[in-house]
Amino acid sequence: MHEPSTPSEHDERGERAELIEQLAARWATMTPPIRPSREDQARFARALDDAPLPRDARVLLLGSTPELRSMVLERGHRLTGCDIDDLFWHAMARLRTTDGPETFIHGNWLDLVEGHYDLVLGDCAFNMLGWDDMGRLVPKIAALLDRGGRAIFRIQARNPDHDLRTLEDAIADFPAERTGQAFLVAHHFLVESLRSTLHPEMTNRQFYEAVVSRFLSPEQLQRLLPLTRDKRNFYPEMSALQALLRRDFEIAHQQPCPSPGAWDTAHLFVLVPRADKTEG
């Protein structure tokens, strides 16, 4: 028989449930390219269906992306997710379109022990890390895959065709009355690409204050700053990213993901562990 909960325990559960609801409601308002577009989802689905997976494949998801969780569950695969934020994981369950059993690992991707997975998935997961940690994550993913496994990721890379003039023109073309979340979503990939190129030492918020602010009115900046983050989404150069991936994988397929607002930074990669990494 369970002991009755104390008022503080009850309050904590209530606060947790409220936070989960708030996170789910906020993420539900996010639009592509922050969330994968329908076209991006179709690319993931084709790559998933083309992979030589068993019927009940063991799939590891890096992150909490509800679209990818739904995609795996509707195919009857066994899904394990890993996220450093357990509240976000539970919140994103509210946005799945398919229900099903999931296993959750609360922790850092870089701390995962070698496992036995047929597929590792992620949407923008690589770009949550800096360059050095990307270098640690790639062999980690290869070690987590069984022989014949695959990895499928949407990854951002810097766009060398863009500079601050591109950003200035993009901001000038954007409706002034949509300065809040709509502005951040529309320009996020462009801003992070430029920040990674020009000032990788800055956080997202610092880059807005030091660089983006020159193209905004004080009122616009004041509305935006509370929505910016003290984080860095690192976008490597494409050639460097490909070289990093090829240390442990063959790039079986690479496809641009030109969703509106992606600013030609996003690509879908299908990765196959190199034979010399899986022998023995």
Side-chain angles (χ1 to χ4, degrees):
M1 184 174 180
H2 294 293
E3 293 291 331
S5 62
T6 65
S8 61
E9 290 172 341
H10 179 78
D11 291 345
E12 288 175 2
R13 288 200 297 269
E15 290 175 3
R16 179 181 172 86
E18 185 176 351
L19 284 172
I20 288 173
E21 288 290 349
Q22 290 173 354
L23 282 170
R26 181 182 178 188
W27 199 252
T29 67
M30 290 292 178
T31 57
I34 304 299
R35 297 177 67 174
S37 66
R38 290 185 179 181
E39 294 79 10
D40 293 332
Q41 293 176 55
R43 295 181 187 99
F44 268 110
R46 285 192 295 271
L48 182 58
D49 291 337
D50 288 344
L53 299 175
R55 184 179 299 274
D56 58 345
R58 298 154 300 177
V59 179
L60 174 66
L61 173 65
L62 301 187
S64 301
T65 310
E67 292 85 358
L68 297 186
R69 290 163 70 172
S70 301
M71 202 175 295
V72 171
L73 292 174
E74 70 186 14
R75 286 163 173 76
H77 299 318
R78 290 177 284 169
L79 177 65
T80 298
C82 180
D83 201 311
I84 202 166
D85 187 341
D86 67 318
L87 288 177
F88 195 67
W89 170 264
H90 292 294
M92 293 305 96
R94 310 289 178 93
L95 303 184
R96 295 177 311 184
T97 57
T98 301
D99 290 328
E102 300 174 312
T103 301
F104 178 58
I105 300 171
H106 184 197
N108 191 313
W109 304 327
L110 298 173
D111 294 332
L112 286 166
V113 298
E114 293 187 12
H116 298 280
Y117 297 99
D118 301 297
L119 179 69
V120 180
L121 282 174
D123 185 57
C124 304
F126 272 86
N127 303 101
M128 300 295 104
L129 307 176
W131 180 244
D132 291 342
D133 282 343
M134 284 188 196
R136 295 173 56 200
L137 182 62
V138 173
K140 171 72 69 173
I141 293 170
L144 290 166
L145 286 167
D146 272 355
R147 185 184 296 274
R150 297 287 187 275
I152 304 173
F153 285 89
R154 184 169 66 132
I155 308 176
Q156 275 66 47
R158 302 176 195 175
N159 188 325
D161 296 329
H162 293 159
D163 55 22
L164 288 180
R165 178 60 65 83
T166 309
L167 179 60
E168 180 180 16
D169 292 343
I171 293 174
D173 288 341
F174 198 76
E177 68 275 10
R178 300 180 64 208
T179 309
Q181 178 176 294
F183 181 98
L184 289 179
V185 171
H187 298 91
H188 176 73
F189 284 6
L190 175 58
V191 168
E192 287 299 293
S193 176
L194 292 172
R195 189 197 57 75
S196 296
T197 302
L198 301 174
H199 292 287
E201 76 285 357
M202 289 184 178
T203 66
N204 176 267
R205 180 172 291 122
Q206 289 169 338
F207 190 74
Y208 267 92
E209 291 176 327
V211 179
V212 182
S213 61
R214 73 186 70 169
F215 307 121
L216 301 171
S217 70
E219 293 77 15
Q220 288 175 319
L221 182 64
Q222 201 63 31
R223 291 171 60 191
L224 282 173
L225 283 181
L227 303 175
T228 58
R229 304 169 308 151
D230 287 316
K231 290 186 177 181
R232 304 171 179 87
N233 285 5
F234 184 71
Y235 293 11
E237 295 179 355
M238 178 58 75
S239 59
L241 173 62
Q242 291 170 328
L244 177 65
L245 296 173
R246 287 184 174 124
R247 294 178 190 173
D248 293 272
F249 291 94
E250 301 289 343
I251 300 177
H253 180 69
Q254 178 180 338
Q255 181 181 12
C257 297
S259 301
W263 299 98
D264 297 321
T265 64
H267 288 72
L268 187 78
F269 287 86
V270 178
L271 308 172
V272 180
R274 284 173 41 186
D276 60 331
K277 296 290 182 178
T278 58
E279 290 176 353

